[in-house]
Amino acid sequence: MGMTRPRLVCQLAALLVFVLTGAVSAQAPARFGIGRPATPQEIARLDIDVMPDGTGLPPGRGTPAEGAAIYASKCAACHGKTGREGPNDVLVGREPREGFPFAQNPRLAHTIGNYWPYATTVFDYVRRAMPPMAPGSLTDDEVYALTAFLLNANELVANDAVVDRSTLPAVKMPAREHFVPDTRDQTARKPRP
Amino acid sequence: MKVSRRDLLAGAAGAVAVGATARGQAPADPSKVRGKPPRATGQRASAEKVQRIVRGATSSGTPHQDLMGIITPSDLHFERHHGGVPDIDPAAYSLLIHGMVDRPTVFTLADLKRFPSVSRIHFLECSGNLGRTAGPKTTPGQLAGLTSTSEWTGVPLATLLTEVGAQASATWLLAEGTDAAVLTRSVPMSKALDDALIAYGQNGEPIRPEQGYPARLFLPGWEGNTSVKWLRRIEVSDKPFMTREETSKYTEPFANGTSRMFSFRMDARSLITYPAYPVTLEHGWVEINGIAWSGAGKIQRVDVSTDGGKTWSAARLQEPVLSLAHTRFRHLWNWTGGEAVIMSRAVDETGYVQPTRAALLEQRGPGTTGYHLNPITGWIVQASGAVIYKEEAWG
């Protein structure tokens, strides 16, 4: 298609604008050189997350018996004497033993034993956020002990289990096979030009 | 600046007028009283009592019934937090980016503001934004107040990930807040490199504390929980982290015995904000209006029904219709009396149609969690003109 005269004028004008503004508006660099290198120490201080394969779990250990005492003094007021009574989240309970009828049953509590897909998440969450009025105040051994107590109350580890960085990732959670990633297209349409 | 004696006197008179207004006593003829002097920050007219709807210790909703247009005033933006609103010294604030990056880096707030910035108008919606057990005396803000729209300003996360040299094999990142919940969510790198922002501005000023001061992650169109506030750390990885929020919470059981996780996008929805409870109508012309939004892009159409869903007609959309932002719709209706049920239904640019409650219930089941529920809702205009929420049982 041949170029019309007005269109040619437009393009020349656009070129002129480009040349003029190019003098003051530089191309963005690959890097700006802003920020300072993070030291290994400050990364270690903040890097508290724990992954399902155990990455991030610290040294330390705990047992259900040790955890029961901590639970009674620091957790039971919100989660109930045995973890089933509330008033806040119900933590303990394997019912129903068969199936995954959460969509059908509005009264079914989502507990660690029947709904949480990864045991490592218990350690990660308790360490970062519990107890709510003194978050981050538990020692790693205390968090291991509480994790052991909660997993044992949910019949997921034995009474004499030792929970540590090697045993925790191996705990099999019944709900895990029921979780599926969203298959919808998650991307948004771009604004139209 | 030269200040005359006359200005000073006028200022003193203005101060008296301020006192009168504060007591709710506007002069009978404002044109006969010298007005107020300038002041350092503005305030709402004293007669306007608009407030957020505080629900328990962890959230407050936007009072949509009191608002107009598409921008939510910053002090009325909804809030939702899991460990309270932290008090953060902006001078001490920093963001650490590490993990699968070539250069682990700490950015101060001043550093973040040195990067090229962008401003975009987007809605932000909590994924648990439906009062499922709402009764007749429910306002729009009580029903769906956990969505708000602001102009957000910040640095594209892609810019920062380039700056630190995020590795090509990275597929996920962890975003972590410095609130008392030290809240964490895993975010796919595809979103981080697409339109994610590290936002520090909201409607032209620094982000409010309830919205993540001094800096937050902002993921346009995605469930609010993923836009981690008070952001202190980003760890780049090749796996999701399976945090408590993305496993035991913010997942949706389905009737087929699965639970959906990483359900990020907010689907299209609309909400009539007028007329709605507690309004009482008079016979005659009514401009039905409300907001519609979609996490998939622009709102293409909003249908309005005034006969309980038997017939629908397309509402007028207020320009500009922005992608991933509230869109105001308006529909003229002549109410001649008698009971009527008014409803709205959003359609977005992908063709997605806001579902009925029955359709959602069939897919999700009566026991499902309250996340990602976007049913068509309605208001009953009673013969008396009183407007109440059209209550519907969930399951």
Side-chain angles (χ1 to χ4, degrees):
Chain A
M1 201 177 88
M3 189 175 284
T4 61
R5 192 175 172 84
R7 189 166 165 191
L8 180 65
V9 171
C10 281
Q11 292 198 344
L12 284 172
L15 183 68
L16 185 64
V17 168
F18 176 79
V19 168
L20 288 175
T21 56
V24 290
S25 178
Q27 189 75 26
R31 284 179 61 201
F32 292 89
I34 299 172
R36 65 168 176 79
T39 66
Q41 292 76 22
E42 64 191 332
I43 294 173
R45 189 174 61 80
L46 287 179
D47 185 7
I48 59 169
D49 57 82
V50 172
M51 301 184 85
D53 66 1
T55 301
L57 279 171
R61 61 185 287 288
T63 64
E66 292 161 358
I70 302 164
Y71 180 87
S73 67
K74 297 190 173 177
C75 317
C78 291
H79 294 291
K81 195 173 171 214
T82 70
R84 296 171 180 268
E85 301 86 354
N88 289 1
D89 285 18
V90 175
L91 305 176
V92 175
R94 286 286 297 277
E95 305 77 18
R97 304 268 161 183
E98 299 295 319
F100 197 72
F102 292 95
Q104 287 77 25
N105 186 352
R107 285 169 299 281
L108 198 53
H110 294 200
T111 71
I112 292 169
N114 71 15
Y115 197 78
W116 287 48
Y118 297 95
T120 47
T121 309
V122 179
F123 184 97
D124 177 274
Y125 181 68
V126 170
R127 182 164 69 158
R128 69 178 57 244
M130 291 288 121
M133 292 306 163
S137 62
L138 300 168
T139 66
D140 290 341
D141 280 344
E142 287 177 313
V143 178
Y144 274 121
L146 279 171
T147 304
F149 168 76
L150 292 169
L151 293 175
N152 175 251
N154 279 290
E155 304 165 49
L156 296 165
V157 301
N159 293 341
D160 60 354
V162 173
V163 170
D164 60 22
R165 68 202 304 179
S166 67
T167 59
L168 182 57
V171 176
K172 193 163 163 38
M173 302 295 272
R176 178 162 167 191
E177 62 187 272
H178 297 283
F179 280 83
V180 293
D182 193 354
T183 53
R184 297 175 302 164
D185 175 14
Q186 306 267 4
T187 57
R189 291 277 181 92
K190 292 295 166 196
R192 290 192 182 115
Chain B
M1 194 179 87
K2 193 179 154 194
V3 180
S4 71
R5 185 163 171 271
R6 189 176 155 176
D7 282 344
L8 285 173
L9 287 174
V16 173
V18 169
T21 307
R23 289 194 301 274
Q25 295 166 348
D29 183 352
S31 73
K32 295 294 184 282
V33 181
R34 174 82 179 181
K36 292 170 189 153
R39 50 188 174 182
T41 56
Q43 292 170 10
R44 290 203 171 86
S46 59
E48 300 299 331
K49 307 294 186 194
V50 62
Q51 291 185 325
R52 283 194 293 228
I53 302 143
V54 178
R55 294 183 252 196
T58 60
S59 73
S60 72
T62 294
H64 290 298
Q65 63 276 12
D66 298 323
L67 303 184
M68 47 203 102
I70 62 170
I71 300 292
T72 310
S74 296
D75 63 347
L76 299 175
H77 191 291
F78 84 86
E79 57 182 318
R80 171 75 176 99
H81 29 78
H82 297 69
V85 178
D87 188 5
I88 299 173
D89 174 3
Y93 171 85
S94 64
L95 170 64
L96 165 67
I97 304 184
H98 71 113
M100 292 174 62
V101 303
D102 295 337
R103 294 172 294 276
T105 304
V106 174
F107 299 101
T108 64
L109 184 62
D111 289 337
L112 295 176
K113 291 181 174 178
R114 281 179 64 196
F115 284 99
S117 58
V118 296
S119 296
R120 300 201 205 106
I121 295 172
H122 288 311
F123 79 84
L124 180 69
E125 184 183 19
C126 175
S127 78
N129 189 26
L130 177 72
R132 278 195 286 184
T133 55
K137 294 183 175 181
T138 298
T139 65
Q142 289 170 325
L143 180 70
L146 302 184
T147 183
S148 308
T149 286
S150 297
E151 183 198 59
W152 302 97
T153 297
V155 50
L157 180 51
T159 302
L160 298 184
L161 291 172
T162 301
E163 187 76 11
V164 301
Q167 290 158 16
S169 53
T171 50
W172 290 83
L173 58 78
L174 183 77
E176 183 177 84
T178 190
D179 57 324
V182 201
L183 190 134
T184 42
R185 285 294 305 254
S186 302
V187 176
M189 277 295 275
S190 55
K191 182 69 170 179
L193 295 171
D194 180 12
D195 59 359
L197 293 181
I198 304 301
Y200 47 75
Q202 177 184 5
N203 296 331
E205 62 177 344
I207 283 185
R208 298 264 168 151
E210 299 94 312
Q211 275 75 57
Y213 181 83
R216 72 177 302 165
L217 181 61
F218 190 89
L219 304 178
W222 282 20
E223 66 180 11
N225 185 253
T226 62
S227 285
V228 176
K229 293 180 279 193
W230 314 294
L231 188 68
R232 78 173 189 189
R233 183 169 74 97
I234 288 175
E235 181 175 354
V236 178
S237 178
D238 57 3
K239 291 183 279 293
F241 290 73
M242 302 300 179
T243 73
R244 179 254 199 179
E245 305 301 331
E246 61 209 20
T247 54
S248 78
K249 306 289 180 183
Y250 298 94
T251 52
E252 299 89 48
F254 273 66
N256 65 5
T258 64
S259 194
R260 184 176 70 181
M261 64 195 320
F262 302 124
S263 46
F264 297 120
R265 200 187 66 203
M266 299 307 295
D267 282 329
R269 187 168 176 192
S270 63
L271 176 73
I272 290 173
T273 58
Y274 182 89
Y277 180 78
V279 164
T280 299
L281 288 183
E282 292 178 24
H283 291 182
W285 288 101
V286 177
E287 186 184 66
I288 296 172
N289 77 90
I291 47 173
W293 63 99
S294 168
K298 290 183 181 181
I299 288 295
Q300 184 176 72
R301 201 179 80 228
V302 178
D303 299 324
V304 170
S305 174
T306 56
D307 58 10
K310 289 194 210 50
T311 60
W312 298 85
S313 36
R316 287 179 300 123
L317 301 185
Q318 174 67 59
E319 294 287 344
V321 175
L322 301 174
S323 186
L324 312 173
H326 285 168
T327 295
R328 180 68 54 176
F329 64 89
R330 310 179 198 277
H331 178 73
L332 267 180
W333 176 48
N334 191 7
W335 183 55
T336 54
E339 184 169 299
V341 175
I342 58 173
M343 305 163 85
S344 63
R345 177 175 69 189
V347 181
D348 71 24
E349 65 175 306
T350 69
Y352 174 90
V353 181
Q354 186 181 1
T356 62
R357 183 173 291 237
L360 260 182
L361 194 56
E362 184 184 342
Q363 194 186 41
R364 296 278 299 277
T368 194
T369 48
Y371 309 116
H372 293 274
L373 298 178
N374 60 330
I376 293 169
T377 50
W379 305 93
I380 300 170
V381 179
Q382 298 179 308
S384 65
V387 184
I388 57 171
Y389 176 60
K390 184 174 177 288
E391 192 178 9
E392 288 178 90
W394 183 264

